[in-house]
Amino acid sequence: MQTVVAPTDHPDRLKDAVSQAVDLLKRGECVALPTETVYGLAADAMNPEAVAKIFAAKERPAFDPLIVHLSHRDRLEEVAMVPEEIAKDVARITEHFWPGPLTLVLPKSAAVPDLVTSGLPTVAVRMSANPIFRRVVTSLAQPLAAPSANRFGRISPTSAAAVVKELDGRIPLIVDGGACHAGIESTIISITPRKEGKPLIRVLRAGPVTKEDLQPFGKVEFANHHTEAGEKPEVPGQMPSHYAPRTPLRLLEKPEDFQPEEGKRYALLSYRGGEEDGYLFLTDWLQSLTLSPGSGKLPEAAVRFFHCLRALDECGADEIVAEPLPERGMGVALMEKLRRAAAK
Ligand code: AMP
Ligand code: MG
């Protein structure tokens, strides 16, 4: 299959790209679209044959459920059944965060094919803020299932060029919407009522919407993500090894623990490129890239994260050494991804 990359850098080209995408989606094909988090591989969520093509193109195992993207908040009831006890909370949360990088896990409606949810009784739902994605999902007038547009377990794509590297020849169309501005996958939450006060918000996957952002809406708690290989993860689809570069990656918590092996070439994924952090001159790095030079801003680190990881993966090093980031705000999601990238 030939993969076409459709530019959107002029209103006419944007219109053309959107209509190509909508035509293909109507015919049950899957297409790569930009979102504010990472590029998604989208298909009509209500068409199981189309959804099956996502799993095939990504080589994604059927037990890993997909996120369903809506065109409007008021279409939530088509895919989910919002329990009465949390209806007000769901309304407050979606009014505040949608469109945006927050996914809610809710009981699914019968209309959603089991393939989308991997047979689970729940469905993960969000509404993207990316204007191109929104145009496509609105014109199609159907929800879209859209996981990240990479081969299963690999580095998520934050540019059309990265999608080409992952899926060239496997999908008919990539809509090039430029770089993604959140840079990491959506935060996933579930909401449980409590006897008194605000509900319990469980963060099933850390992401751009942080614990601090969610706190006004409930008591926030992180689900247990740190499963060992072989153990069944609490959250479906959150494998111990994920976001993996082909080059082995080591998360080096303390610079003094580094003992370079003779003849091995190392690359550095630095947090803020600070000499005082002790990593910059540990060895003669083949290449070193910094997530947020100087100030170490976590949202900036998130935007650059997958791009830098991919570049280091391609630089020819034998091993990538990653500096830890502070585990607050978006740093929680980034550290989780580094741990998974480092897991075998
Ligand atoms: P992505 O690959 O970014 O589309 O994210 C899909 C992830 O969302 C899956 O790997 C799961 O971890 C999570 N997910 C999807 N559906 C559910 C669900 N029904 N319950 C809990 N987590 C879900
Ligand atoms: Mg993914």
Side-chain angles (χ1 to χ4, degrees):
M1 183 186 301
Q2 204 200 335
T3 304
V4 173
V5 179
T8 59
D9 55 348
H10 179 279
D12 291 342
R13 285 190 281 275
L14 170 61
K15 207 171 147 203
D16 186 49
V18 169
S19 79
Q20 280 187 61
V22 173
D23 286 348
L24 284 162
L25 291 164
K26 278 189 182 150
R27 282 193 263 136
E29 294 298 330
C30 56
V31 301
L33 299 173
T35 84
E36 72 275 46
T37 59
V38 302
Y39 272 71
L41 183 60
D44 178 349
M46 299 308 194
N47 176 348
E49 278 168 33
V51 172
K53 290 182 186 166
I54 296 180
F55 283 92
K58 281 181 60 93
E59 296 172 23
R60 183 174 174 117
F63 58 78
D64 192 359
L66 306 179
I67 292 174
V68 173
H69 296 247
L70 304 176
S71 55
H72 296 286
R73 213 174 280 123
D74 57 16
R75 300 198 60 170
L76 178 60
E77 307 279 338
E78 287 173 32
V79 297
M81 293 184 300
V82 181
E84 186 58 42
E85 317 86 83
I86 55 165
K88 281 209 178 85
D89 300 297
V90 168
R92 284 180 68 215
I93 290 170
T94 55
E95 265 160 36
H96 186 83
F97 292 101
W98 284 4
L102 183 71
T103 298
L104 270 60
V105 172
L106 292 164
K108 87 187 249 304
S109 78
V112 179
D114 285 333
L115 185 58
V116 172
T117 62
S118 303
L120 292 170
T122 51
V123 61
V125 195
R126 93 170 180 102
M127 185 182 159
S128 172
N130 180 289
I132 299 173
F133 192 97
R134 289 185 67 181
R135 268 177 79 157
V136 173
V137 70
T138 307
S139 324
L140 186 72
Q142 280 283 70
L144 286 173
S148 51
N150 51 277
R151 303 276 187 107
F152 180 70
R154 298 283 169 203
I155 303 173
S156 301
T158 49
S159 66
V163 182
V164 171
K165 289 198 175 126
E166 292 288 329
L167 298 175
D168 193 25
R170 296 178 154 245
I171 56 172
L173 180 71
I174 300 168
V175 176
D176 185 351
C180 300
H181 42 255
I184 52 171
E185 291 85 350
S186 62
T187 303
I188 304 180
I189 60 166
S190 68
I191 305 166
T192 326
R194 289 196 302 161
K195 280 212 181 73
E196 271 158 45
K198 290 180 183 160
L200 176 67
I201 298 177
R202 298 193 75 222
V203 178
L204 307 178
R205 176 174 74 186
V209 173
T210 64
K211 179 176 184 180
E212 294 80 355
D213 297 330
L214 291 165
Q215 261 154 352
F217 301 89
K219 180 175 156 33
V220 185
E221 167 183 299
F222 285 101
N224 172 26
H225 290 123
H226 304 296
T227 41
E228 300 296 323
E231 211 178 305
K232 193 174 186 304
E234 186 186 0
V235 182
Q238 299 289 291
M239 309 305 149
S241 166
H242 215 112
Y243 313 106
R246 291 194 161 79
T247 313
L249 180 142
R250 169 184 354 177
L251 175 59
L252 187 65
E253 302 271 2
K254 291 194 226 106
E256 55 272 27
D257 291 345
F258 187 61
Q259 278 153 359
E261 275 173 50
E262 192 66 40
K264 223 169 150 176
R265 290 158 309 166
Y266 296 92
L268 176 70
L269 181 64
S270 170
Y271 163 43
R272 52 185 181 178
E275 220 174 286
E276 67 282 14
D277 296 327
Y279 289 83
L280 270 197
F281 303 113
L282 269 181
T283 184
D284 189 9
W285 304 108
L286 181 65
Q287 188 173 1
S288 99
L289 290 174
T290 301
L291 290 171
S292 177
S295 53
K297 287 196 183 70
L298 292 166
E300 183 184 26
V303 172
R304 289 173 45 73
F305 184 75
F306 286 125
H307 170 78
C308 291
L309 200 53
R310 192 173 282 278
L312 293 180
D313 196 17
E314 289 167 3
C315 81
D318 300 305
E319 188 170 347
I320 300 168
V321 173
E323 252 184 76
L325 292 102
E327 273 184 274
R328 59 180 150 76
M330 286 197 196
V332 177
L334 297 174
M335 282 296 278
E336 204 184 292
K337 289 180 199 306
L338 283 178
R339 291 199 178 96
R340 283 176 208 271
K344 298 283 171 309

mmCIF file of all heavy atoms in Angstrom, residues 277-302:
data_model
loop_
_atom_site.group_PDB
_atom_site.id
_atom_site.type_symbol
_atom_site.label_atom_id
_atom_site.label_comp_id
_atom_site.label_asym_id
_atom_site.label_seq_id
_atom_site.Cartn_x
_atom_site.Cartn_y
_atom_site.Cartn_z
ATOM 1 N N ASP A 277 24.253 19.165 37.208
ATOM 2 C CA ASP A 277 23.503 17.930 37.434
ATOM 3 C C ASP A 277 24.408 16.696 37.359
ATOM 4 O O ASP A 277 23.998 15.591 37.738
ATOM 5 C CB ASP A 277 22.345 17.802 36.431
ATOM 6 C CG ASP A 277 21.315 18.917 36.638
ATOM 7 O OD1 ASP A 277 21.141 19.339 37.802
ATOM 8 O OD2 ASP A 277 20.725 19.373 35.646
ATOM 9 N N GLY A 278 25.613 16.869 36.799
ATOM 10 C CA GLY A 278 26.603 15.800 36.857
ATOM 11 C C GLY A 278 26.574 14.800 35.714
ATOM 12 O O GLY A 278 27.293 13.792 35.765
ATOM 13 N N TYR A 279 25.779 15.014 34.699
ATOM 14 C CA TYR A 279 25.674 14.032 33.608
ATOM 15 C C TYR A 279 26.437 14.448 32.342
ATOM 16 O O TYR A 279 26.923 13.606 31.604
ATOM 17 C CB TYR A 279 24.206 13.817 33.214
ATOM 18 C CG TYR A 279 23.400 13.064 34.255
ATOM 19 C CD1 TYR A 279 22.855 13.730 35.352
ATOM 20 C CD2 TYR A 279 23.188 11.697 34.139
ATOM 21 C CE1 TYR A 279 22.124 13.050 36.319
ATOM 22 C CE2 TYR A 279 22.450 11.002 35.089
ATOM 23 C CZ TYR A 279 21.919 11.686 36.179
ATOM 24 O OH TYR A 279 21.201 11.011 37.129
ATOM 25 N N LEU A 280 26.529 15.765 32.120
ATOM 26 C CA LEU A 280 27.025 16.248 30.832
ATOM 27 C C LEU A 280 28.412 15.749 30.465
ATOM 28 O O LEU A 280 28.675 15.417 29.325
ATOM 29 C CB LEU A 280 27.044 17.785 30.818
ATOM 30 C CG LEU A 280 25.812 18.515 30.332
ATOM 31 C CD1 LEU A 280 26.174 19.951 29.997
ATOM 32 C CD2 LEU A 280 25.193 17.834 29.112
ATOM 33 N N PHE A 281 29.300 15.679 31.473
ATOM 34 C CA PHE A 281 30.684 15.303 31.166
ATOM 35 C C PHE A 281 31.048 13.928 31.727
ATOM 36 O O PHE A 281 32.218 13.622 31.943
ATOM 37 C CB PHE A 281 31.643 16.404 31.663
ATOM 38 C CG PHE A 281 31.310 17.737 31.065
ATOM 39 C CD1 PHE A 281 30.828 18.779 31.843
ATOM 40 C CD2 PHE A 281 31.425 17.931 29.687
ATOM 41 C CE1 PHE A 281 30.490 19.997 31.271
ATOM 42 C CE2 PHE A 281 31.088 19.148 29.108
ATOM 43 C CZ PHE A 281 30.610 20.187 29.897
ATOM 44 N N LEU A 282 30.055 13.091 31.949
ATOM 45 C CA LEU A 282 30.314 11.744 32.465
ATOM 46 C C LEU A 282 31.156 10.927 31.501
ATOM 47 O O LEU A 282 31.960 10.098 31.895
ATOM 48 C CB LEU A 282 28.987 11.008 32.664
ATOM 49 C CG LEU A 282 28.313 11.122 34.008
ATOM 50 C CD1 LEU A 282 27.033 10.301 34.003
ATOM 51 C CD2 LEU A 282 29.240 10.657 35.123
ATOM 52 N N THR A 283 30.909 11.126 30.218
ATOM 53 C CA THR A 283 31.655 10.413 29.189
ATOM 54 C C THR A 283 31.616 11.263 27.923
ATOM 55 O O THR A 283 30.975 12.317 27.894
ATOM 56 C CB THR A 283 31.061 9.003 28.950
ATOM 57 O OG1 THR A 283 31.878 8.308 28.014
ATOM 58 C CG2 THR A 283 29.639 9.041 28.413
ATOM 59 N N ASP A 284 32.274 10.787 26.902
ATOM 60 C CA ASP A 284 32.258 11.498 25.640
ATOM 61 C C ASP A 284 31.025 11.007 24.868
ATOM 62 O O ASP A 284 31.102 10.071 24.094
ATOM 63 C CB ASP A 284 33.569 11.156 24.901
ATOM 64 C CG ASP A 284 33.763 12.002 23.671
ATOM 65 O OD1 ASP A 284 32.979 12.958 23.490
ATOM 66 O OD2 ASP A 284 34.677 11.682 22.888
ATOM 67 N N TRP A 285 29.886 11.646 25.125
ATOM 68 C CA TRP A 285 28.626 11.182 24.534
ATOM 69 C C TRP A 285 28.686 11.229 23.013
ATOM 70 O O TRP A 285 29.156 12.223 22.456
ATOM 71 C CB TRP A 285 27.440 12.047 25.006
ATOM 72 C CG TRP A 285 27.286 12.127 26.486
ATOM 73 C CD1 TRP A 285 27.547 13.200 27.276
ATOM 74 C CD2 TRP A 285 26.837 11.093 27.359
ATOM 75 N NE1 TRP A 285 27.291 12.899 28.593
ATOM 76 C CE2 TRP A 285 26.847 11.604 28.670
ATOM 77 C CE3 TRP A 285 26.424 9.771 27.174
ATOM 78 C CZ2 TRP A 285 26.469 10.864 29.789
ATOM 79 C CZ3 TRP A 285 26.041 9.027 28.283
ATOM 80 C CH2 TRP A 285 26.068 9.568 29.568
ATOM 81 N N LEU A 286 28.195 10.206 22.359
ATOM 82 C CA LEU A 286 28.105 10.211 20.900
ATOM 83 C C LEU A 286 27.157 11.340 20.477
ATOM 84 O O LEU A 286 27.393 12.065 19.521
ATOM 85 C CB LEU A 286 27.577 8.855 20.406
ATOM 86 C CG LEU A 286 27.438 8.695 18.915
ATOM 87 C CD1 LEU A 286 28.794 8.762 18.231
ATOM 88 C CD2 LEU A 286 26.742 7.376 18.573
ATOM 89 N N GLN A 287 26.060 11.463 21.207
ATOM 90 C CA GLN A 287 25.152 12.592 20.998
ATOM 91 C C GLN A 287 24.453 12.861 22.327
ATOM 92 O O GLN A 287 24.161 11.916 23.085
ATOM 93 C CB GLN A 287 24.103 12.260 19.926
ATOM 94 C CG GLN A 287 23.282 13.478 19.571
ATOM 95 C CD GLN A 287 22.331 13.252 18.387
ATOM 96 O OE1 GLN A 287 22.250 12.174 17.814
ATOM 97 N NE2 GLN A 287 21.605 14.295 18.032
ATOM 98 N N SER A 288 24.200 14.135 22.613
ATOM 99 C CA SER A 288 23.404 14.406 23.805
ATOM 100 C C SER A 288 22.324 15.411 23.431
ATOM 101 O O SER A 288 22.570 16.375 22.704
ATOM 102 C CB SER A 288 24.294 14.878 24.955
ATOM 103 O OG SER A 288 24.262 16.264 25.081
ATOM 104 N N LEU A 289 21.097 15.131 23.872
ATOM 105 C CA LEU A 289 19.977 16.025 23.602
ATOM 106 C C LEU A 289 19.343 16.418 24.924
ATOM 107 O O LEU A 289 19.292 15.606 25.862
ATOM 108 C CB LEU A 289 18.938 15.335 22.712
ATOM 109 C CG LEU A 289 19.375 15.093 21.261
ATOM 110 C CD1 LEU A 289 18.321 14.284 20.508
ATOM 111 C CD2 LEU A 289 19.642 16.411 20.535
ATOM 112 N N THR A 290 18.888 17.653 24.994
ATOM 113 C CA THR A 290 18.355 18.180 26.240
ATOM 114 C C THR A 290 16.861 18.448 26.087
ATOM 115 O O THR A 290 16.431 19.046 25.109
ATOM 116 C CB THR A 290 19.122 19.466 26.613
ATOM 117 O OG1 THR A 290 20.499 19.120 26.745
ATOM 118 C CG2 THR A 290 18.622 20.061 27.909
ATOM 119 N N LEU A 291 16.084 17.984 27.074
ATOM 120 C CA LEU A 291 14.622 18.092 26.973
ATOM 121 C C LEU A 291 14.142 19.528 27.162
ATOM 122 O O LEU A 291 13.287 20.000 26.432
ATOM 123 C CB LEU A 291 13.956 17.160 27.980
ATOM 124 C CG LEU A 291 14.117 15.671 27.645
ATOM 125 C CD1 LEU A 291 13.628 14.802 28.791
ATOM 126 C CD2 LEU A 291 13.381 15.326 26.358
ATOM 127 N N SER A 292 14.672 20.204 28.173
ATOM 128 C CA SER A 292 14.293 21.601 28.366
ATOM 129 C C SER A 292 15.532 22.380 28.792
ATOM 130 O O SER A 292 15.807 22.532 29.984
ATOM 131 C CB SER A 292 13.188 21.713 29.419
ATOM 132 O OG SER A 292 12.902 23.078 29.636
ATOM 133 N N PRO A 293 16.291 22.867 27.790
ATOM 134 C CA PRO A 293 17.588 23.486 28.085
ATOM 135 C C PRO A 293 17.461 24.658 29.064
ATOM 136 O O PRO A 293 16.573 25.496 28.920
ATOM 137 C CB PRO A 293 18.068 23.975 26.713
ATOM 138 C CG PRO A 293 17.291 23.177 25.712
ATOM 139 C CD PRO A 293 15.986 22.863 26.357
ATOM 140 N N GLY A 294 18.346 24.652 30.040
ATOM 141 C CA GLY A 294 18.399 25.775 30.983
ATOM 142 C C GLY A 294 17.403 25.657 32.113
ATOM 143 O O GLY A 294 17.720 25.206 33.205
ATOM 144 N N SER A 295 16.156 26.024 31.824
ATOM 145 C CA SER A 295 15.188 26.162 32.914
ATOM 146 C C SER A 295 14.559 24.846 33.351
ATOM 147 O O SER A 295 13.981 24.771 34.436
ATOM 148 C CB SER A 295 14.097 27.127 32.474
ATOM 149 O OG SER A 295 13.581 26.678 31.235
ATOM 150 N N GLY A 296 14.639 23.808 32.521
ATOM 151 C CA GLY A 296 14.051 22.531 32.902
ATOM 152 C C GLY A 296 12.549 22.578 33.092
ATOM 153 O O GLY A 296 12.012 22.062 34.059
ATOM 154 N N LYS A 297 11.850 23.219 32.169
ATOM 155 C CA LYS A 297 10.380 23.292 32.270
ATOM 156 C C LYS A 297 9.784 21.958 31.837
ATOM 157 O O LYS A 297 10.048 21.481 30.733
ATOM 158 C CB LYS A 297 9.843 24.415 31.380
ATOM 159 C CG LYS A 297 10.127 25.799 31.922
ATOM 160 C CD LYS A 297 9.232 26.818 31.215
ATOM 161 C CE LYS A 297 9.528 28.221 31.679
ATOM 162 N NZ LYS A 297 10.853 28.703 31.208
ATOM 163 N N LEU A 298 8.944 21.387 32.693
ATOM 164 C CA LEU A 298 8.421 20.049 32.406
ATOM 165 C C LEU A 298 7.496 20.003 31.183
ATOM 166 O O LEU A 298 7.594 19.071 30.390
ATOM 167 C CB LEU A 298 7.759 19.464 33.654
ATOM 168 C CG LEU A 298 8.797 19.165 34.760
ATOM 169 C CD1 LEU A 298 8.129 18.921 36.093
ATOM 170 C CD2 LEU A 298 9.682 17.992 34.372
ATOM 171 N N PRO A 299 6.603 20.989 30.969
ATOM 172 C CA PRO A 299 5.790 20.925 29.744
ATOM 173 C C PRO A 299 6.651 20.984 28.476
ATOM 174 O O PRO A 299 6.352 20.333 27.485
ATOM 175 C CB PRO A 299 4.873 22.156 29.851
ATOM 176 C CG PRO A 299 4.815 22.450 31.314
ATOM 177 C CD PRO A 299 6.166 22.083 31.859
ATOM 178 N N GLU A 300 7.749 21.748 28.531
ATOM 179 C CA GLU A 300 8.643 21.795 27.374
ATOM 180 C C GLU A 300 9.331 20.437 27.190
ATOM 181 O O GLU A 300 9.466 19.930 26.067
ATOM 182 C CB GLU A 300 9.704 22.895 27.536
ATOM 183 C CG GLU A 300 10.596 23.003 26.309
ATOM 184 C CD GLU A 300 11.738 24.009 26.435
ATOM 185 O OE1 GLU A 300 12.179 24.295 27.565
ATOM 186 O OE2 GLU A 300 12.181 24.483 25.386
ATOM 187 N N ALA A 301 9.737 19.845 28.296
ATOM 188 C CA ALA A 301 10.360 18.517 28.234
ATOM 189 C C ALA A 301 9.386 17.511 27.617
ATOM 190 O O ALA A 301 9.781 16.653 26.822
ATOM 191 C CB ALA A 301 10.778 18.068 29.636
ATOM 192 N N ALA A 302 8.095 17.633 27.955
ATOM 193 C CA ALA A 302 7.092 16.705 27.422
ATOM 194 C C ALA A 302 6.945 16.870 25.913
ATOM 195 O O ALA A 302 6.894 15.888 25.169
ATOM 196 C CB ALA A 302 5.744 16.926 28.109
#
